[in-house]
Amino acid sequence: MMQTIIIILYCLTTSYDQHTDPKATDNSQRSTYYGMYQDIHVMIFIGFGFLMTFLRSYGFSSLTLNFLVGIYSIEWGILVVGFFAKAWESDWSYLGLNIEMLIEGDFAAATALISLGAVLGKTSAMQTLIMVTFELIFYALNFQIGVNGLGAADIGATMFIHTFGAYFGLAVSWVMSPKTSKDHKENGSVYHSDMFSMVGTIFLWVFWPSFVSVLADGNNQDRAILHTVLAISSSCMCALLASSLLRPDHKFDMVDVQNATLAGGVTIGAVADHYLGGGGALFVGAAAGILSTIGYVYVQPALEEKIGLFDTCGVHNLHGMPGVLGGLASVVSAACAGKSLYGDSLGSVFGAMAPEGNDDGAGEGRSASQQAVNQLLALLITLGIAIASGIVTGMIMKLATFDSPGDELFNDVTAFGVPGDGPKPSIAPLDAASMTDASRKKGFGVSYGFELDRVGGVQPGS
């Protein structure tokens, strides 16, 4: 049904613009954006997809849900991001479709996939699509508040994608996750699943500079690429060092290798085009890698124990805390910004700090201290909107009208017919033909082949 609605909305509200209209032949965006757009596309569908395959009995579902969420988020994200951008300007003309809007669609997909990581294995496909539908509305709203309302600078979307996606997903997970998630026997990896997951890590690591820098202009883009490569390299080195120091027997842990090594790419996004110097970029990456590893080793188990927050992929450690760190780094960097460092390019990095009445109309002549305050406000508002909207969305997803995997968590058998050598149900099977009408009305596994009494355990059919 939602796909039908999306088709109708595209027909009614979108059109070609000056870059795609056949009558305008000299305004192609292909040479400007397409190469980096494809890099980001690879990150979305291979990087995120394979990173999530670490669960030993959930490989089919991880890849399929990533594929489904990525595609749906691109379609839906283009519409909601475009709508809120036009609504902010009180412009009710058609939404122009071009390659830059495809990039916005991929950014929306990244946000949704980060949130998916928090609930992976604990939601059905239907529940996941419900989550994405609501999330991207709030994502687009928060982006407009932060960028156009507050004039916050976040070229790599550290706050608006990583921080928002992480804390939205965590809020959903806190509302939805059953207590059995923590010690569930399928909530873990095996040797080959960790190897598949590492494929995703390598793809993300290689292409991350494109994600951060694709929308930067001029030599701001060159600086963003330089800083991202240095930061993500530094985070890799320091995450591995921290893993070997903090884990039992001083041995590496694949969870840290797969995830914390990428944290520098998350943190640097908020300041990638700022004046940092090579040492500054390396320092930011090192701090992110160490913080992320500490999150996996100490913070995640504490949150599970203290408040019942079950975060399947550890998005709080990879995207949440490093995202907050990046937002705070942007506050410090903005406070130090001035023409002595940036020259005439100050306004291209911090739009609101450009002189009033500049060509693009974004300049406010804002001081460095005012910009720093607005960077902090953007971070706090992002956290507030993400958590509040995530809690509400989680409550909606729990409604009985939406399909749920029940207690058969982290297992492909809830949604797939698997080969004989594939995962097996962790709950005793039940012949669906033998189920009574009363048992069918309980809503238990007609499609899954089992029935669970939540008080007495597995019950035989009658």
Side-chain angles (χ1 to χ4, degrees), residues 51 54-55 187-190 193-195 197-198 201 239-240 243 247 251-263 289 292-298 300-301 311-315 317-318:
L51 184 64
F54 69 95
L55 290 169
N187 186 11
S189 65
V190 291
S193 67
D194 272 334
M195 291 291 289
S197 181
M198 197 63 201
T201 299
L240 293 175
S243 181
R247 293 293 186 175
K251 293 182 178 180
F252 297 124
D253 190 293
M254 280 306 292
V255 171
D256 307 327
V257 179
Q258 292 158 354
N259 296 280
T261 53
L262 302 171
S292 182
T293 307
I294 290 172
Y296 280 104
V297 177
Y298 298 116
Q300 185 170 349
D311 176 7
T312 306
C313 294
V315 300
N317 314 309
L318 174 54

Side-chain angles (χ1 to χ4, degrees), residues 273-285:
D273 57 342
H274 296 191
Y275 190 100
L276 300 177
L282 289 167
F283 176 79
V284 168

Side-chain angles (χ1 to χ4, degrees), residues 151 153 273-274 330 333-334 337 342 345-354 371 375:
D273 57 342
H274 296 191
S330 77
S333 180
Y342 293 88
S345 67
L346 178 63
S348 67
V349 177
F350 301 97
M353 293 182 71
Q371 183 66 40
Q375 294 291 133

Side-chain angles (χ1 to χ4, degrees), residues 48-86:
F48 277 106
F50 277 90
L51 184 64
M52 295 186 189
T53 60
F54 69 95
L55 290 169
R56 59 171 166 252
S57 299
Y58 207 64
F60 284 9
S61 299
S62 295
L63 288 169
T64 302
L65 282 174
N66 187 92
F67 202 15
L68 177 65
V69 168
I71 292 167
Y72 178 64
S73 297
I74 291 170
E75 295 180 343
W76 180 235
I78 288 172
L79 288 176
V80 293
V81 169
F83 171 80
F84 277 100
K86 285 188 168 293

Side-chain angles (χ1 to χ4, degrees), residues 216-239:
D217 297 323
N219 74 357
N220 295 341
Q221 187 175 71
D222 293 39
R223 195 163 57 251
I225 294 171
L226 170 67
H227 288 161
T228 304
V229 172
L230 291 175
I232 202 168
S233 298
S234 184
S235 72
C236 185
M237 290 292 293
C238 291

Side-chain angles (χ1 to χ4, degrees), residues 22 53 75 98 115 122 134-135 144 276 278 340 345 347 395 400 414 460:
T53 60
E75 295 180 343
N98 54 43
S115 300
K122 299 173 288 189
F134 285 100
E135 176 177 14
Q144 291 303 317
L276 300 177
S340 61
S345 67
M395 292 177 177
T414 60

